[in-house]
Amino acid sequence: MLFRIITSLLETDLYKFSMGQAIYHQYPSYTTTWTFKCRNKDVHFTPEMVEEIKRQLRLYCELRFTEEELEYLRNIKWIQNSYVDFLRLWQPRYEDFVIGTDAECGLSIETSGTWLNTSMYEIPTLAIVNEVYFRMQYDYDDLLESFKERLEKKYEDVRSNRFCLGTFSEFGLRRRLSREAQELAVEKFSHLHDNEDKSCKSFFVGTSNVYLAKKFGITPVGTMAHEWIMCTGQGNHKHNPAYSNWYALDSWIKEYGVLNGIALTDTITTDCFLKDFQLTYATLFNGVRHDSADPIEWGEKMIEHYKSLGIDPMNKTLLFSDSLDFEKAAGIAAHFQGKAKVAFGIGTYIANDTKVPSLNIVMKTTFCNGQDVAKLSDVDGKGMCKNPEYVDYLKRSIKWRMDHE
C-alpha cells in the first residue's frame, strides 16, 4: 500500500480529547501500558501484514496537528486553551511501540509511556490493523462494493422508517473497513443530520471521528472510555479499586462541571457503579452509557435508579453502544419510548458491514503506574487483564463493598 491510512491527528475518537484534557490537567505523570488483542480465533496476521502495520504506524508518528485543526478543537466549548497549546507541541512516538509476531493471531502490539501519549495511540492503531488486514487478506474492491450495497440499504431502512432509531451517531473508527468506507458512511448518513425530511424518525447526530466531523460539519461525539475509570481508580496504589467509579466521576466533574457528561457504567460492573452514582453525580451528568449485558435490563435498572433519587429519567440520556445494528437499536428505542431519552452509538455495523466477518480487535490498558489494572464488564468475555490474581483481588474488593455498604 502506497498511501497513509491515518492522514490527520484528528482522525481519532472524540473521547480521546475529552480524556486527554483531563489527563493533561490532573494526571500528567501517570504511565500506562496498552496491549492489543484479537478475539477472533480464526484470524491470522501474516508477516507481510505485520510489516505493513509497522510502516503505517511510522507514517502516523510523522503527523502533527495543523493550526486549522487546533482552531477546530478550540471551538469545542469544553476544550481549554492550555490543552490546545499542549497538542500544538504533541507528537506520537514510534519508540513507544513494541510490535511482533509472537501471538496466537500472528500480531502482538504493546505501547508503553505516559498516559498522555499512549492513550492517543489506541484508536489509530486499531484502525490501521483493521484496514491492513482487510486490504491484504481479501479482494478489497470486492469488499468495498458489498459495503456500498449494504450501506445503501441501511440508509433506505432508516430514511423510510423501516427502523426508527431516534437519535444515533457513528462510532466505527476503530473497526472500520477502511478510511474510504467510513467516510462514505458518514457522508451518507449526514443527509439525516438536519432531518429536513420531517417524516423520518431517525436523526443522525454525528460521528466519534473528529476528522470526519470537521470535514462534514457535523457534531463530534464522545465523552469517556473504560481507561478513564481503570486508571483514575486503580492507577493510584493507595486507592481501593472498588471505588474506581467515585474517583473517575469526581475527577471528571472537577474538569468539566456540567459539560461533557455521559458516564460509562460497566468498568467494574454497573451495580458497583450505582453505589457511587448518587444524587450529586446523577444530577450533574447528562446521562449514562451502556456497553455490556442486556440493554433492556440495564436501561430499566438505570430508570429505577434515577427515580429512586427523585430525578425524572426523561431528563437524562441512556446511550447504548454495545454491538448494535439498526434492528436492535430500533427495538431498544421502542421499548424505552416515553420512559427515558435514548441515543445510540453504532460502530462496526455502519463502518464495516461487508460479505465477510468483521474483526473483533481491542487495545486495552493493562498497567497503570506499574500496577495491574482491569476491566470486569457486566458480562464474561469483555474484560481484559494480564494478571488473574489482580482480577480475583478486584472482584473480592467489589464483593466486600457490595455486601457491607
Side-chain angles (χ1 to χ4, degrees), residues 2 73 103 125 135 156 179 248 261 276 288 316 341 399-400:
L2 300 176
L73 291 173
T125 298
R135 283 186 179 273
E156 289 303 317
R179 174 164 52 90
D276 294 312
V288 285
K316 298 295 179 179
K341 290 192 292 187
K399 185 178 187 306
W400 194 96

Side-chain angles (χ1 to χ4, degrees), residues 246-352:
W246 185 89
Y247 291 107
L249 296 170
D250 185 61
S251 292
W252 200 262
I253 292 300
K254 285 178 181 176
E255 188 71 28
Y256 295 116
V258 297
L259 297 175
N260 202 25
I262 296 289
L264 182 57
T265 72
D266 73 329
T267 306
I268 57 169
T269 75
T270 293
D271 287 340
C272 191
F273 169 85
L274 293 179
K275 287 283 188 181
D276 294 312
F277 198 61
Q278 295 302 314
L279 185 60
T280 298
Y281 294 139
T283 299
L284 291 174
F285 278 84
N286 299 328
V288 285
R289 177 159 75 93
H290 169 267
D291 198 52
S292 63
D294 184 271
I296 301 298
E297 291 179 10
W298 176 88
E300 292 291 350
K301 180 182 291 187
M302 295 310 307
I303 287 171
E304 288 307 309
H305 184 73
Y306 277 126
K307 287 181 177 178
S308 74
L309 299 174
I311 296 173
D312 184 354
M314 289 300 294
N315 294 328
K316 298 295 179 179
T317 297
L318 306 182
L319 174 60
F320 296 88
S321 63
D322 180 29
S323 303
L324 296 173
D325 59 27
F326 286 173
E327 183 175 7
K328 186 175 180 181
I332 295 170
H335 177 87
F336 289 107
Q337 187 172 7
K339 295 182 178 182
K341 290 192 292 187
V342 298
F344 302 97
I346 304 176
T348 307
Y349 178 71
I350 291 180
N352 194 359

Side-chain angles (χ1 to χ4, degrees), residues 38-50:
C38 179
R39 293 170 175 160
N40 305 79
K41 298 303 182 184
D42 58 346
V43 166
H44 183 76
F45 293 87
T46 65
E48 293 77 17
M49 291 177 186
V50 176

Side-chain angles (χ1 to χ4, degrees), residues 38 121 130 164 313 342 358:
C38 179
Y121 301 153
N130 219 70
C164 300
V342 298
S358 58

Side-chain angles (χ1 to χ4, degrees), residues 213 234 236:
Q234 301 170 40
N236 186 327

